[in-house]
Amino acid sequence: MSDSRENPSPERRTLECVKEAPGAAESRQDPRYEAVRSRDARFDGVFCTAVRSTGIYCRPSCPAVTPKPENVRFYPSAAAAQQAGFRACRRCRPDASPGSAEWDLRADLVGRAMRMIADGVVDREGVGGLARRLGYSSRQVQRQLTAELGAGPVALARAQRAHTARVLLQTTPLSVTDVAFAAGFSSVRRFNETVREVYALTPSALRAAAPRGSSGAADGDGLALRLAHRSPYAAAQVFDFLGRRAVPGVEEMRGEPGRRTYRRTLVLPYGVGVASVAEPARSRPGGWLDVRLRLTELRDLATAVERLRSLFDLDADPYAVAERLADSGELARLAAAEPGLRSPGAAEPHELAVRAVLGQQVTVASARTLAGRLVAAYGKPLPAPDGGLTHLFPDTAALAEAPLDEVGMPEARRTALRALAAALADGTVPLEPGADRDDADRALRALPGIGPWTAGYVRMRALRDPDVFLPGDAGVRHGLDLLNCAPSHAARWRPWRSYAVHHLWRAAAESTPPTTTKRPARANRSTP
């Protein structure tokens, strides 16, 4: 996928302004200053506002008194503002802003690097490891990130560690030393220095300054957090989507619509975890999801949070999506009826790829049954079963050698699943955060039994590509029929075709399937 910049939204145009003209607001007509003056939350995470007279940087939507234009500096990232000597505002907490949708949209070096940094690659493997994964030199990665974000990979990872440290200090009873290492710092001294620089407080003072009703509280059930998103957010649609696909043993959905809790097990770099995500009430104000995490290793906190953000598509830009689809004619009515519709990603990319093969040519309910059998036969038992959560999803290396007789699939499908598992285990198919999407697509299609639908579905969800269209999917075809439009019309929905697919799926699911229209024999039937 190319770095699409067709028909940019107002937010993307503002982001271009940040890149092309960093620095002070020269007049009240600067679109960034207008966003600050109107406290426009759409721009939270797109850029930061720093005020020279106070030494503080904020979200554009910060409720504080609007600073004078001559005192304002704009930075494309929190890390850049921190490097310039500004500390995070304690009122709006800009370090907890939603991430930028730019990084999912872009398939270039910077976009891929940002996805990897968010997943903790720099903390685990250093800048050298990040560069090797990207296929560039460390110097090239440093230069590109600094040019576009005002900070290199070390500073960007440091900003993320500082945010994790603040969350742990203010929501857990962990000692300062334990927080330092759990947040990914290599030494307590470096941890202390970073916290003072970023928040202008010592770690102990930062803990004491925790506001009432802050992002969460720790107890015997784990760490409670709030994960920010841009509103509107069609939470019911996301919970419907995940609930229909919840794999027994690995996932479960509790409660009634409007009061549901999605729960699942997680395989993380240092240990395992259990995540619980509450469906927000329609009447509740605020742009966040309430999450509770139980981790065997607190070092996995930042990675677990990022993977949940991916699963629930929390960094999406609903304004840009709505603007594009509203201009397309055919989808305008559907987009208006379901504002803030999301394209859910994946908590574990390898798991999603295996499940995509299980879902070939069968209904969602059947795919869920097959996945449950696979988990029961080959999944690793959870150290401490938690309600309906009993297993971790099977390891791909184990599946590559498994007979798979217990699952109940045709031999051709079992062969395809083993080939995919082997390719995932040895890295032939790269699906880690920030993987090159085109390379992964080619590698997937080279495997036996993997066609355009499977590769596209994996690309959409596991690789968080917002611009995937699935013309061979039965639900998509049905949705297109309802709109009286041809697959070729999808070109009008770039670069947000993944969201268009979800609108078509919703339309198909809410209508009575036609009984006279024949589908191609190979059209995939895995629709919502």
Side-chain angles (χ1 to χ4, degrees):
M1 173 182 158
S2 63
D3 178 10
S4 175
R5 295 181 182 274
E6 301 177 18
N7 301 299
S9 68
E11 291 74 29
R12 287 177 61 75
R13 288 193 289 270
T14 296
L15 183 59
E16 292 304 312
C17 180
V18 173
K19 293 175 185 175
E20 293 170 7
E26 295 180 359
S27 75
R28 293 180 183 271
Q29 300 305 311
D30 187 312
R32 295 167 295 182
Y33 186 77
E34 288 303 307
V36 173
R37 192 171 62 84
S38 60
R39 297 181 174 86
D40 196 332
R42 292 178 298 174
F43 297 93
D44 289 354
V46 177
F47 64 88
C48 295
T49 304
V51 183
R52 290 190 303 166
S53 57
T54 63
I56 295 171
Y57 76 93
C58 302
R59 303 181 186 218
S61 67
C62 183
V65 175
T66 304
K68 296 179 180 179
E70 59 268 24
N71 289 333
V72 175
R73 295 291 182 272
F74 297 107
Y75 294 93
S77 66
Q82 291 170 15
Q83 280 204 148
F86 294 92
R87 69 167 177 83
C89 174
R90 296 171 197 161
R91 188 172 183 181
C92 70
R93 291 187 285 183
D95 54 328
S97 296
S100 174
E102 179 84 354
W103 314 130
D104 282 345
L105 185 64
R106 292 172 56 166
D108 61 358
L109 183 153
V110 173
R112 293 173 59 207
M114 290 301 289
R115 294 196 292 275
M116 290 185 182
I117 292 169
D119 196 61
V121 169
V122 171
D123 291 337
R124 295 192 297 272
E125 304 175 25
V127 177
L130 173 68
R132 284 191 296 274
R133 285 175 176 259
L134 292 168
Y136 291 85
S137 70
S138 297
R139 181 174 296 180
Q140 286 174 302
V141 173
Q142 174 76 27
R143 184 169 60 248
Q144 287 288 328
L145 288 174
T146 302
E148 294 215 29
L149 291 162
V154 171
L156 291 163
R158 173 179 176 268
Q160 180 170 284
R161 286 196 300 273
H163 170 56
T164 301
R166 181 185 64 77
V167 170
L168 291 172
L169 284 168
Q170 297 188 337
T171 64
T172 77
L174 290 173
S175 70
V176 169
T177 299
D178 286 342
V179 167
F181 292 109
F185 288 91
S186 58
S187 71
V188 175
R189 179 183 63 80
R190 188 60 186 147
F191 164 72
N192 289 331
E193 291 174 352
T194 298
V195 170
R196 288 193 189 98
E197 291 172 6
V198 173
Y199 299 107
L201 292 171
T202 65
S204 297
L206 183 60
R207 167 169 278 167
R212 293 183 179 180
S214 61
S215 60
D219 55 30
D221 292 327
L223 176 67
L225 307 168
R226 284 178 175 174
L227 304 188
H229 61 72
R230 293 175 184 83
S231 296
Y233 185 83
Q237 169 259 341
V238 175
F239 279 76
D240 287 347
F241 185 89
L242 296 178
R244 282 192 294 269
R245 291 161 176 77
V247 176
V250 171
E251 300 171 287
E252 67 174 353
M253 189 71 75
R254 294 180 174 179
E256 300 298 321
R259 301 174 62 89
R260 291 172 290 186
T261 299
Y262 168 80
R263 307 177 72 244
R264 69 155 296 137
T265 61
L266 297 168
V267 178
L268 298 163
Y270 297 107
V272 300
V274 170
S276 300
V277 184
E279 180 180 12
R282 288 182 180 271
S283 60
R284 189 199 73 185
W288 69 83
L289 294 184
D290 288 315
V291 175
R292 190 172 291 275
L293 282 168
R294 288 199 298 107
L295 304 172
T296 59
E297 280 284 349
L298 277 173
R299 289 180 294 172
D300 285 323
L301 175 61
T303 301
V305 165
E306 178 60 21
R307 294 185 184 181
L308 290 175
R309 297 193 67 84
S310 169
L311 179 62
F312 285 84
D313 196 20
L314 299 183
D315 292 332
D317 183 345
Y319 308 100
V321 175
E323 181 185 61
R324 188 73 189 106
L325 299 186
D327 289 341
S328 69
E330 302 91 346
L331 277 180
R333 178 180 59 82
L334 298 181
E338 193 76 76
L341 181 139
R342 294 305 206 261
S343 178
E348 297 181 13
H350 288 192
E351 172 193 315
L352 189 282
V354 169
R355 291 169 61 171
V357 172
L358 294 174
Q360 292 175 347
Q361 307 302 315
V362 299
T363 64
V364 167
S366 296
R368 178 181 177 180
T369 298
L370 294 175
R373 293 173 185 167
L374 189 76
V375 168
Y378 301 104
K380 182 179 179 181
L382 198 64
D386 186 344
L389 304 182
T390 58
H391 288 76
L392 303 171
F393 198 82
D395 180 71
T396 52
L399 292 179
E401 303 295 331
L404 304 178
D405 295 333
E406 304 89 339
V407 181
M409 297 188 300
E411 178 56 33
R413 192 74 48 76
R414 282 183 280 163
T415 299
L417 186 54
R418 283 191 291 264
L420 171 66
L424 292 171
D426 67 16
T428 301
V429 173
L431 294 184
E432 71 274 5
D436 186 287
R437 291 164 176 162
D438 290 335
D439 287 349
D441 190 277
R442 285 189 290 268
L444 280 167
R445 296 190 190 214
L447 297 175
I450 305 292
W453 182 89
T454 304
Y457 187 74
V458 171
R459 182 168 182 154
M460 175 193 289
R461 294 197 60 194
L463 295 177
R464 295 165 57 176
D465 190 337
D467 194 33
V468 173
F469 191 64
L470 303 173
D473 183 273
V476 170
R477 286 174 173 270
H478 184 193
L480 290 171
D481 287 347
L482 292 172
L483 297 178
N484 294 315
C485 62
S488 60
H489 290 188
R492 306 177 186 178
W493 305 327
R494 290 179 179 273
W496 308 113
R497 290 182 297 170
S498 296
Y499 296 87
V501 164
H502 279 274
H503 278 296
L504 294 172
W505 277 342
R506 293 281 287 181
E510 293 171 359
S511 71
T512 302
T515 57
T516 58
T517 303
K518 292 184 178 180
R519 300 295 178 199
R522 297 296 293 174
N524 196 286
R525 294 172 55 214
S526 284
T527 60

